[in-house]
Amino acid sequence: MRRYLIAGNWKMNKTNNEAVNLAKRIFSDSQGIEKVDIIICPPFTAIAPVYNVIKDSNIRLGAQNMFYENEGAYTGEISGEFLKSIGCEFVIIGHSERRKYFNETDVEVNKKVKKSMAFGLTPIVCVGETLEEREKGKTEEVVKREIVGALQGQTDMDKIIYAYEPIWAIGTGKTAHPEDANKIHKLIRDIIKTDFRIDETRILYGGSVKSSNAEALMSQPDIDGSLVGGASLDAKSFVEIIKAAANLS
Ligand code: PEP
């Protein structure tokens, strides 16, 4: 039985003080919820202070990105080792905002996935189609290309977590219809099973998830939780999504 997982992607939001306060609220409001895995992904600068807030709780820490080299002359980059050393266990890789604004390619995503696991981090690999690709009927082709691209040559693939995030649904208030989203989750699961022989994989849905739509999405058989952007910046709405998952568990 796959456990629900709710991950909050805070993106480029929250100063250290704000991040610590948000983490404290999520911690206090989610106490007693044991059936759901909870991850928060603050900006790099806030990871260490947030770690001090949640280190004795069931909330775990993720980063929003990392670089694929170990160390060296890569100004502005952050290594997997740095993340591991400040309490991170997870790292989001290939988020559509990185692909769009920082030209991240499938090849770089693949290298980052490999390196994250070499440092003992669990990657949360994001895939999803643009509105244009969807309208041209290319959703399945794009998702398949991104999944295969991320996984080529990887070992330890059973640890990887996936997030299907249709790009047209991110931060727009539009959400995929639960059954349509489930169809793509099932496709991802089938690719991973058939091409890479991995049976149990958690696949999160992301794209304007909020308390009012979380239950409908997560009650689909192949949706194992949510990667939450905007709604994770407010403790009340984030914890309501966690509670929706707990009620379904
Ligand atoms: C995201 O950035 O991963 C995301 C899903 O954002 P939002 O929930 O704001 O659409």
Side-chain angles (χ1 to χ4, degrees):
M1 175 75 187
R2 301 185 299 270
R3 272 167 71 89
Y4 281 105
L5 164 57
I6 306 296
N9 173 14
W10 295 1
K11 309 193 184 188
M12 197 174 75
N13 294 291
K14 306 293 174 189
T15 63
N16 281 7
N17 277 346
E18 291 166 346
V20 162
N21 287 336
L22 177 56
K24 281 183 181 162
R25 276 283 315 275
I26 294 171
F27 179 18
S28 62
D29 294 0
S30 65
Q31 273 192 345
I33 302 177
E34 275 155 21
K35 291 185 192 153
V36 178
D37 291 330
I38 307 169
I39 302 172
I40 50 177
C41 305
F44 287 135
T45 42
I47 292 174
V50 165
Y51 175 73
N52 287 325
V53 176
I54 52 109
K55 62 176 190 270
D56 297 321
S57 76
N58 58 345
I59 302 169
R60 295 153 86 189
L61 261 181
Q64 300 171 20
N65 182 32
M66 58 167 276
F67 194 47
Y68 53 73
E69 294 292 351
N70 289 348
E71 62 183 353
Y74 303 103
T75 302
E77 293 296 333
I78 296 287
S79 78
E81 187 177 21
F82 298 169
L83 296 177
K84 193 75 186 165
S85 74
I86 54 172
C88 266
E89 295 175 74
F90 299 85
V91 57
I92 297 172
I93 306 268
H95 190 280
S96 62
E97 287 153 13
R98 300 238 28 111
R99 295 181 194 254
K100 178 176 173 189
Y101 299 121
F102 304 97
N103 304 316
E104 231 172 75
T105 62
D106 290 338
V107 171
E108 287 164 319
V109 168
N110 182 282
K111 288 184 187 173
K112 289 183 178 192
V113 169
K114 210 168 277 168
K115 192 56 76 173
S116 66
M117 290 194 292
F119 282 114
L121 294 159
T122 299
I124 302 173
V125 177
C126 299
V127 297
E129 80 286 3
T130 62
L131 184 58
E132 199 190 342
E133 289 162 340
R134 180 183 179 81
E135 283 169 349
K136 286 187 179 154
K138 291 190 166 171
T139 300
E140 302 191 356
E141 179 190 321
V142 170
V143 166
K144 181 157 193 184
R145 191 204 70 223
E146 290 181 337
I147 290 285
V148 172
L151 293 187
Q152 224 44 260
Q154 309 286 1
T155 49
D156 268 353
M157 276 183 284
D158 50 337
K159 298 205 176 84
I160 301 174
I161 295 165
Y162 302 85
Y164 169 55
E165 300 206 300
I167 296 168
W168 50 270
I170 296 182
T172 58
K174 293 182 196 147
T175 323
H177 190 280
E179 274 135 37
D180 291 344
N182 193 68
K183 224 173 94 190
I184 304 302
H185 281 235
K186 171 92 173 57
L187 170 81
I188 296 170
R189 199 176 298 292
D190 287 346
I191 296 169
I192 293 165
K193 219 175 191 163
T194 314
D195 296 5
F196 299 97
R197 315 231 162 271
I198 305 295
D199 278 328
E200 281 295 295
T201 297
R202 285 196 286 185
I203 308 170
L204 315 179
Y205 170 80
S208 297
V209 174
K210 39 189 182 283
S211 53
S212 56
N213 58 24
E215 188 180 334
L217 285 158
M218 291 190 290
S219 53
Q220 291 294 319
D222 286 295
I223 300 185
D224 305 315
S226 308
L227 179 54
V228 187
S232 72
L233 297 174
D234 174 70
K236 187 168 175 290
S237 48
F238 188 58
V239 173
E240 276 170 8
I241 295 168
I242 296 167
K243 285 182 179 161
N247 289 339
L248 291 166
S249 298

